[in-house]
Amino acid sequence: MPSLASISKLQNEKWMNVRVGDIIKLENNQFVAADLLLLSSSEPHGLCYIETAELDGETNMKVRQSVSVTSELGDQNNLASFDGEVVCEPPNNKLDRFCGTLYWRDKKYNLTNQNMLLRGCVLRNTEACYGLVIFAGPDTKLMQNSGRTKFKRTSIDRLMNTLVLWIFGFLVCMGVILAVGNAVWEREVGSLFQSYLPWDPPVDNFLFSAFLSFWSYVIILNTVVPISLYVSVEVIRLGHSYFINWDQQMFCSQCNTAAEARTTTLNEELGQVEYIFSDKTGTLTQNIMSFNKCSINGQTYGEATDPLAPQPTRLDFTPFNPLADQNFYFYDDTLLESVKVGDSHTHEFFRLLSLCHTVMSEEKSEGELVYKAQSPDEGALVTAARNFGFVFRSRTPGTITTTEMGRPVTYTLLAILDFNNIRKRMSVIVRNPEGRIRLYCKGADTVLLERLHPCNQELMNITSDHLNEYAADGLRTLALAYRDVSEDEWETWSESHRCADKATNCRDDRLAAAYEEIEQDMMLLGATAIEDKLQEGVPETIAVLSLANIKIWVLTGDKQETAVNIGYSCKMLTDDMTEVFIISGHTVQSVRQELRRARDRMIVLSRSRDGEKEEGMEGWAEAGFMGNGFREGQEGDGTAAAAATAGGKQLQCPPPPPPPSNNLMDNISGEFALVINGHSLAHALEADMETEFVSTACACKAVICCRVTPLQKAQVVELIKKHKKAVTLAIGDGANDVSMIKSAHIGVGISGQEGIQAVLASDYSFAQFRFLQRLLLVHGRWSYLRMCRFLCYFFYKNFAFTMVHFWFGFFCGFSAQTVYDQYFITLYNIVYTSLPVLAMGIFDQDVPDKRSLEYPKLYEPGQLNLLFNKREFFICIAQGIYTSVVLFFVPFAVLSDATQSTGVPLADYQTFAVTTATALVIVVSVQIALDTGFWTVINHVFVWGSLGSYFTIMFALHSQTLFRIFPNQFHFVGSAQSTLLQPVVWLTIALATAICIVPVLAFRFLKVDLKPQLSDTVRYTQLVRQKKRKPIGRSVGGAWRGAGSASEGRLGARGGSRRSGYAFAHQEGFGELITSGKNMRLSSLALATFASRHSSSWIDTLRRKKHTHTHTPPSASGECSPAPSCISGSVPPLSNSSSVLGGSQDTPIEEETGTPPAQNGQSDLASSTQTQPASEAAAPQASSQAVTLTAGRTHVGDSPGGWAATLGSVQEALFGWKSRAAASNSPGPPSVAKDTSQIV
């Protein structure tokens, strides 16, 4: 980083050496190293262009200008002699505000944010500039917005530490019990042996003997405390991290970037995420705009000419227009033909696009044009006009030069009516070469259509329909209009405009009034539709993650309109949503009222939905009063809703109730979304408003926070962590996301276009947002599953091993005698049982990765922490204690009276030790074989190899050879050979193994047969698929989709909400810059320019038990009511335990059934249905039709018991998907033949 030294010479310095008061030279495309006061620039008037993507996520250019008195200090000597003094505000995190004063040459100059270059910005389209360092290092605004680096630990880590403390306390208790037993035994029994077996010299009474016995048993029983557990856990996590790094399906070939696990301590928490906080720009979007469709004079263009063609043909503009942009893609040749034949409306349409903008043009060589647009929207529109023959070439403060159909034309630029967020439109007034004056206007259709001449009514209706179609496709729409202005009218208006422009008071209001005066009675030309390209797979990823009960919040520094459009594009927001609430209050009181009003509205709508569902859902189609679902937060008395009419009926909404409780908000049914602005969010994050905001936002399916600062992003994450106690994940790609990434439990960095600061601060990184789906649903779920199974087995085997010593203490006079050989105690955790459990912890999986992605509901047990918690821990401990009881008392009872074939008794210590140790190793080996769900070669080698190594090592340690070499070390000489040759010993081992394992097998078979989990159901369907038999009956895939669409009982068929996409990233003030000529330069550099969900009944019950206030229950919108179970014979329906009460989905599961196909696709409902259980009987019944599958007992040899299920119940258990036609493109299992029934 070149800095100016006292010798008036530039020298390179590292960022770390930059100090306040240094003068720094920046060159094009360099990052700003500190917060600088812009002194001078290579551009006229001290202007420079910056990109602030690292700060607010916006990639459009912004303009900064130096103070006029310093703008001429371009020479190094002048800069070296600069001796001004800056007095400014202290370091703070306000990115959009700076207040200071420059004192120089006995004068003072006010400094604002327009004079500052903040750290994290990138210099664009400016050859060089000089700046004075105001804040450096941690004092910069970017660093002030960065959160503290925290040491992240998983919930399993914290639980594990607690359990280890409990186990240590249990160890002390066992030591105390055995020590008390020793004292009693020594006093009552041991004293009788004093004459020939006296105490050792230090021991002189039974109390001291008990004291020594306590510490002896603490040492002997210390194996119950899992010291090696932490080492094993880290080894397993390291293996999981390598699996993430090696995953080829998370490798981006375009940027040659692989996924990277930058930490090894958080892998299992990837399987427990409930909230995802995502940046927008560069994370969800590519920030690339493309001209997609348009409507001109009532005719829509943009669809491919031959929609049946496998690949649409891209138009070649080169023969028609040598100045065409080669990177422009368009497929509808009818629009090009309309231009060629000279259609006047089409020509005027593209003429408007080539004139009404603030784009700057640079012509590097003849015909090589580079457009520098302040927003990507404008760049896309001007490029479209360029390709269709209306080429914007250059501009001066008073002219615009274009090439129209090969003919150069220069227009006189009379005025630019600039854009702002209130006007939502911009206009230009130009005089053509013939002298005619015309106003061209483009803007949001919601404001522009109101200013049209009444004669446009018919055309406006047609264009409005086109706008709705474009909006439904997620495109950013824009309306175009013009009007002719007479000379007299222009003179009059020009004078009023000049007066407003020079006004000292209320200048902005006067200018707005002048603009409003002339932007009336315009003629409609048409509309444009721009696609803001999402990253590949973003809508699908969000839909699948939503099915996994993961809530996604978008936190962006961009404008509200942009964020809302992206929300629709990526399917976070849909036109089927019940309502979208917009919170935009500027005071604490107004924000509180809007939040409460939104909650009241949710309750009212939820109650009305539930009431109408009970009546058969007939009224949903009539409740069209919802409109487009947008509800602006308004000041008022809090009355949530009044009468609303639709289709001649009136629905009365009661007054809002008092502030609802968390439980009431958790039972909200319906799909709601919340959009909140940055200034409103600042109030919502205040201490007394936190609960209001959290209760409202968490009842919504989607939340979008706009215009938020990096610090606010971190505060939102902390808020959810504090109030919901849920695992959070933050994902972003820029420096403005660093604080959010650090605050969340898990931080994910996207290696995108905004540098690598987010990646460096993250725990995991990859190149595309779509990889998040695989990271969570596959690697995260597997890691959680493996870790839970590992911990359960680890505690089990340790207690089974150690507790045998405890029971033996009651039979050896509490003398601290061990049961096993000392070498067995040493090798048990190191050799005999360490590798099998590591293999299970690293390689195990319940279902393959494809099934994990197909059935997102499999992710929910991790969110509810079902697989390892305190209850599961005590179950494992109980199983381990039960195993130790069997392993001790069965051999003890059998060998007490057993004899060898020679008549020699077997009731000796060494025989008992060998028998118990052998039975222990066999039992724990069989147990881990049962626990392992996915066998690899490594699993086989480790499990059976460990068992084989036990016998090999035992025979070696008990051999004569080692005894001769070390007679004092190996006391069990010959014990293994003599003991294991006795049939009664093997019968004893077999009996103990059976008593330990058979109850476990019986319990698991009954559980799978009577109350299967989701993973059991998936494995069963996978087993059926592997049979590869031809399905019986006819396929009803199409009928299923039809039923799904028929049963879509929504709040009316809501039309597409019209959303303007006009220059959302546009900044006010560029029109004034252009007309003033300050930004005109001789040379420039190129411009770098679904799905509703359900929880299964058992998960839903647990969800209400665990953090009832935390988990929002599933939405019931747009679903069929529960279908009764269709069963055959006496087989219990699978839906009783693992299905969901609710809708169905459009993609059926592949099943084999023993039921013959129904005649005409219908089966007799009365003969095939069974009364629902009590939990299902209370559910409302739908009046619409649904399709069900009757599955009789399937004759599969290796399947556990009979299976019977309704199609709806199995599909809901696996997917939680609704039967919606809109979801027909969602991933799901292949369809198979099935019977169909009408369910009433």
Side-chain angles (χ1 to χ4, degrees), residues 1102-1122:
L1102 287 171
R1103 187 180 297 283
R1104 292 193 181 96
K1105 289 181 180 179
K1106 176 184 179 272
H1107 304 311
T1108 306
H1109 66 284
T1110 303
H1111 304 282
T1112 303
S1115 164
S1117 58
E1119 299 164 12
C1120 300
S1121 60

Side-chain angles (χ1 to χ4, degrees), residues 1035-1048 1145-1148 1187 1219-1225 1229 1231:
S1035 173
V1036 292
W1040 177 251
R1041 285 188 288 272
S1045 58
S1047 63
E1048 187 178 346
Q1145 69 203 47
D1146 63 329
T1147 340
V1187 183
S1219 57
R1220 301 172 61 127
S1224 60
N1225 295 328
S1231 59

Side-chain angles (χ1 to χ4, degrees), residues 39 44 149 217 301 390 446 527 566 618 720 742 769 775 848 869 944 948 954 1067 1106:
L39 294 178
T149 301
Y217 271 113
Y301 301 95
F390 290 77
T446 52
I566 294 302
E618 293 89 352
I720 297 301
K742 288 181 178 179
F769 180 84
L775 181 70
N869 47 44
W944 313 124
M954 182 180 63
Q1067 195 175 29
K1106 176 184 179 272

Side-chain angles (χ1 to χ4, degrees), residues 799-840:
F799 270 78
F801 166 69
T802 306
M803 290 301 294
V804 175
H805 292 298
F806 180 78
W807 310 125
F808 186 57
F810 291 90
F811 295 87
C812 67
F814 305 97
S815 60
Q817 171 68 37
T818 61
V819 178
Y820 313 111
D821 175 18
Q822 59 179 341
Y823 293 104
F824 177 82
I825 296 175
T826 303
L827 297 174
Y828 177 78
N829 276 324
I830 298 176
V831 177
Y832 302 150
T833 61
S834 61
L835 294 180
V837 71
L838 279 178
M840 181 181 70

Side-chain angles (χ1 to χ4, degrees), residues 378-397:
E378 287 219 304
L381 295 174
V382 176
T383 301
R386 170 185 175 179
N387 277 60
F388 283 98
F390 290 77
V391 185
F392 166 62
R393 299 297 293 265
S394 62
R395 75 186 323 145
T396 68

Side-chain angles (χ1 to χ4, degrees), residues 26 187 208 265 314 344 357 376 492 638 882 1127 1221:
L26 292 174
R187 181 179 180 181
F208 190 65
T265 60
R314 173 189 171 189
S344 60
H357 56 78
T492 304
Y882 166 76
I1127 63 171

Side-chain angles (χ1 to χ4, degrees), residues 466-642:
H466 293 162
L467 285 166
N468 288 335
E469 294 175 7
Y470 301 157
D473 292 337
L475 303 178
R476 299 167 63 147
T477 58
L478 191 67
L480 311 181
Y482 74 96
R483 65 162 294 192
D484 290 320
V485 181
S486 66
E487 285 288 347
D488 293 339
E489 186 179 4
W490 160 247
E491 292 295 338
T492 304
W493 182 86
S494 178
E495 182 62 29
S496 65
H497 176 255
R498 269 194 299 270
C499 294
D501 191 34
K502 294 179 180 180
T504 56
N505 297 325
C506 303
R507 176 178 180 270
D508 292 340
D509 293 338
R510 293 187 179 186
L511 282 175
Y515 295 164
E516 183 75 21
E517 178 186 349
I518 200 169
E519 290 174 330
Q520 297 294 333
D521 294 331
M522 294 184 288
M523 304 299 293
L524 182 62
L525 273 175
T528 62
I530 296 176
E531 180 184 8
D532 185 1
K533 291 193 174 181
L534 296 172
Q535 289 193 13
E536 181 184 352
V538 167
E540 294 81 0
T541 300
I542 289 178
V544 172
L545 293 178
S546 297
L547 289 174
N549 196 41
I550 298 175
K551 292 188 176 181
I552 302 178
W553 291 26
V554 172
L555 311 179
T556 177
D558 221 333
K559 289 185 173 68
Q560 173 186 309
E561 294 90 342
T562 311
V564 168
N565 269 274
I566 294 302
Y568 278 97
S569 298
C570 64
K571 307 304 180 187
M572 279 185 61
L573 305 178
T574 65
D575 291 325
D576 291 327
M577 279 188 161
T578 308
E579 192 150 346
V580 179
F581 300 97
I582 298 179
I583 309 299
S584 57
H586 287 79
T587 64
V588 174
Q589 188 60 30
S590 62
V591 173
R592 180 181 283 110
Q593 288 180 357
E594 291 175 13
L595 289 172
R596 289 180 177 176
R597 191 178 299 115
R599 285 204 308 274
D600 296 340
R601 181 71 170 161
M602 291 181 196
I603 294 171
V604 169
L605 293 175
S606 178
R607 287 173 175 171
S608 66
R609 288 171 57 84
D610 294 341
E612 292 195 13
K613 281 185 69 176
E614 292 174 0
E615 296 172 3
M617 300 176 70
E618 293 89 352
W620 287 110
E622 300 171 349
F625 68 92
M626 297 301 300
N628 291 327
F630 275 94
R631 179 179 177 81
E632 282 284 351
Q634 300 173 356
E635 306 281 343
D637 56 3
T639 303

